[in-house]
Amino acid sequence: MAETRIGVIGCAGRMGKMLVADIVAADDCVLAGGIARPGSAAVGKDIGESAGLGRLGIAIGDSAERLLAECDVAIDFTTPSATAEYAHFAARLKKPIVVGTTGLHGAEEAAVRDAAAKVAVVWAANTSLGINLLLGLVDQAARRLGPEWDLEIVEMHHRGKVDAPSGTALALGRTAAAARGVEFDSVALRGRDGITGPRPAGAIGFAALRGGDNIGEHHVIFATAGEQLELSHR
């Protein structure tokens, strides 16, 4: 079986370095290369040394178009605006892309969906098997427990995470809203401060915690008079 040539977009970041290590360790994959944002101090450095693997003889670049042309599939963990641009390149070059970037909105989401109409795209808020099972459990719970069960979603991540709530937390909230047959944006409460008044019926509340090197934990809480159900993933 031919080895799959994988390019890592955002290879100097936290997730990018982990991806480089996993690709190098895989028997059926080849690291085609990686890029960092133009102007980054990582550009030009050896990708293996950047990931703590030792020298691999592959310099980190800054051209997504060039990387996409040289790989079979690319994995993108960058920023929403950058992801929208890379999705456009992937569609034009007919190269499949895995999108792990979170925090996409509006035109950025539209760019990824447009690319998916032209080339294979895997776009997931979280690729963990446990989280994807949790999404199904939240769907079941939200369908069975009525609006008298208040729904709160609490997430915690490392101090370097730049978006809040996390993409996974929002995906859990959207799953619950769909299960209840309501429009997500009309019921989402993203943080509270001061005299907020009573909790609106049917709201889906969010709390985002940041600290240390926490790679990610999520708690979905259904609470009603006299009892509470919590579904968690770490």
Side-chain angles (χ1 to χ4, degrees):
M1 183 180 294
E3 295 174 318
T4 302
R5 292 178 53 80
I6 303 176
V8 180
I9 302 175
C11 66
R14 180 188 181 96
M15 284 300 301
K17 292 177 180 178
M18 294 174 65
L19 288 167
V20 167
D22 279 350
I23 293 166
V24 169
D27 294 333
D28 54 353
C29 299
V30 171
L31 181 64
I35 65 165
R37 70 181 184 279
S40 167
V43 174
K45 293 184 177 180
D46 187 90
I47 195 171
E49 292 178 345
S50 174
L53 305 175
R55 188 168 183 81
L56 293 176
I58 301 172
I60 296 174
D62 61 5
S63 171
E65 287 186 275
R66 184 178 305 144
L67 178 64
L68 284 161
E70 295 173 351
C71 68
D72 298 320
V73 60
I75 306 176
D76 166 47
F77 271 88
T78 55
T79 63
S81 59
T83 289
E85 181 180 12
Y86 301 148
H88 171 74
F89 293 154
R92 182 161 56 80
L93 295 169
K94 301 298 183 185
K95 292 297 178 77
I97 187 169
V98 177
V99 176
T101 305
T102 59
L104 279 69
H105 298 287
E108 297 152 351
E109 288 191 1
V112 175
R113 295 186 187 282
D114 180 64
K118 302 168 184 173
V119 69
V121 174
V122 174
W123 179 24
N126 193 308
T127 56
S128 157
L129 292 176
I131 283 291
N132 283 278
L133 175 59
L134 178 60
L135 287 164
L137 295 173
V138 168
D139 176 86
Q140 292 183 50
R143 289 179 187 277
R144 292 173 178 269
L145 304 177
E148 68 276 10
W149 287 76
D150 300 324
L151 176 51
E152 296 284 323
I153 298 173
V154 181
E155 56 98 344
M156 183 170 184
H157 284 81
H158 56 88
R159 62 170 66 99
K161 187 168 177 62
V162 297
D163 59 305
S166 69
T168 300
L170 293 173
L172 291 164
R174 289 191 175 98
T175 295
R180 287 183 166 181
V182 296
E183 201 273 322
F184 174 70
D185 288 332
S186 69
V187 296
L189 286 178
R190 304 190 187 193
R192 300 179 178 88
D193 185 48
I195 307 300
T196 61
R199 187 185 197 282
I204 298 177
F206 291 89
L209 312 180
R210 296 290 178 266
D213 61 353
N214 192 319
I215 199 170
E217 63 179 270
H218 295 83
H219 309 272
V220 182
I221 303 164
F222 294 86
T224 192
E227 56 183 316
Q228 181 172 307
L229 171 66
E230 181 172 338
L231 302 171
S232 297
H233 177 273
R234 295 177 178 84

